[in-house]
Structures are given as structure tokens and as C-alpha cells.
Amino acid sequence: MKLYGYYRSSTSYRLRCALELKGLDYENVPVNLLKTEQKSEAFTARNAFGSVPMLETDHGDKAQSMAIIEWLDEAYPEKPLLPSDPEQRYLARELAYAIATELHAPLNLPVLKFLKEQYGKSQDEIDDWYRHWLARTLDPLEQRLAQVGAGDFLFDAPGFFEVVLMPQMYNARRFAFDFSDKPHMTRIEAACLALPEFQRAHPDAQPDNPEQKDS
């Protein structure tokens, strides 16, 4: 498989986490979002959404990260990301989709560029926008984690939820979001970052990270 993505893209990051946790081999193919390579004619001919990630598989090119992750669990059932119990599966989806559906749209790069270029917003104003929407979802998410008694992970091992949470926390920290009142999230983050699968998936370890090239 080939994963077309961008090192700092949260959706690319979540798919790297999923592939690593499932132990699936893949080749990382960088797509530079800052140069809009994802909008090229060659790329959109394969992925009409003109977005990353795109996963090249023996069954064709796959787009949309959440759909890809669930497809991976169905096509490669070993090391499942979703638990077998239907109530646990629901809980994992509830929390993961809260992040994926509520935060990705208002916080992705095209929206932030639109705020700056079309409405003349300053970087400080854009950062405030970013943190505002983060709080609207991450505050109740922390409450849900407390309600269900989450430990180092939502369940016994990292899976579907952690794959989606980790990239969002990474991007939130880039915008100086305050996690001091979110002990459940920060505990899960620390437990994940201690694992080699998440270390390999981290933006700092990707070949298209400029700092990685300079190191």
C-alpha cells in the first residue's frame, strides 16, 4: 500500500496511526499541501476530493480517512481497532466522530487561509478561532472520558478513538490550546506517545517534515 499524505495533516496522521497499530506495511508518499499538490490534475484524477490522505491499495485508491480506517478493519481484521462488543464499538465511534465531524471542517487549512485572505483576519484572531472550536468539542469530550472512567486508553489498548484523538491533540498544541484541565486526554496522549507505533506515525518522524530533513 502507498499512503499519500502530508506530515502535519491530522487526517494523514490518523491514518498513519491506524496502519501502524494494525501492523500493515505501507510506503509514505508526501503530498505538499502548502504547494496545493493535492489539487493537481494528476492527483484529482485519482481522488476527486483533492485531499489527503489517499491510500493506494490492491482494491483501488481510497479517500476520506474515517472511511479508510473502517475499511482497514474490515479488510484486515487482525489487530482490530474497533472492539467486538457493540456498546464499546459505539462508544469508540461516538468519541472519535465527535472529533472528526465537529473539528475537522472549521479547523482545516483551507478555512484558515480563507479567514486570512478573504476576511483579513490576523494570525491572533485565527488562533482564537481555532481554540474556540477546539474547546466546544474537547471540553465535553473530556467529560465523557471521565464519565466512562477511561484510563491510559479508552479501553485496554489503543484503537479507533486514540487514532483520531492523537492528531487533534498534536494540532491543538500547535495553537497553544490549554490542556491543563483535561487529565484524561493528557494521560491517553502520554500513554500513546510511549508506544513505537505512535512514535513512527508522529509528524516529527515523517520524511516530508522540514525539521526532519534538517536534522
Side-chain angles (χ1 to χ4, degrees), residues 81-99:
L81 299 172
L82 282 162
S84 59
D85 177 76
E87 294 305 315
Q88 289 188 340
R89 289 169 75 89
Y90 166 78
L91 179 59
R93 286 179 168 130
E94 174 195 334
L95 302 186
Y97 275 99
I99 296 171

Side-chain angles (χ1 to χ4, degrees), residues 29-40:
V29 182
V31 177
N32 194 323
L33 301 189
L34 300 183
K35 296 180 180 179
T36 64
E37 292 176 353
Q38 77 280 13
K39 299 298 182 183
S40 70

Side-chain angles (χ1 to χ4, degrees), residues 6-26:
Y6 182 62
Y7 77 101
R8 210 163 58 186
S9 154
S10 61
T11 51
S12 301
Y13 186 1
R14 71 174 63 141
L15 192 48
R16 292 195 303 266
C17 292
L19 288 163
E20 292 288 351
L21 284 178
K22 292 188 70 65
L24 296 172
D25 292 331
Y26 67 97

Side-chain angles (χ1 to χ4, degrees), residues 30 35 76 79 122 125 132 149 154 164 187:
K35 296 180 180 179
Y76 301 92
K79 299 183 179 179
S122 68
E125 289 173 317
H132 168 78
L154 180 59
V164 178
R187 182 170 60 249

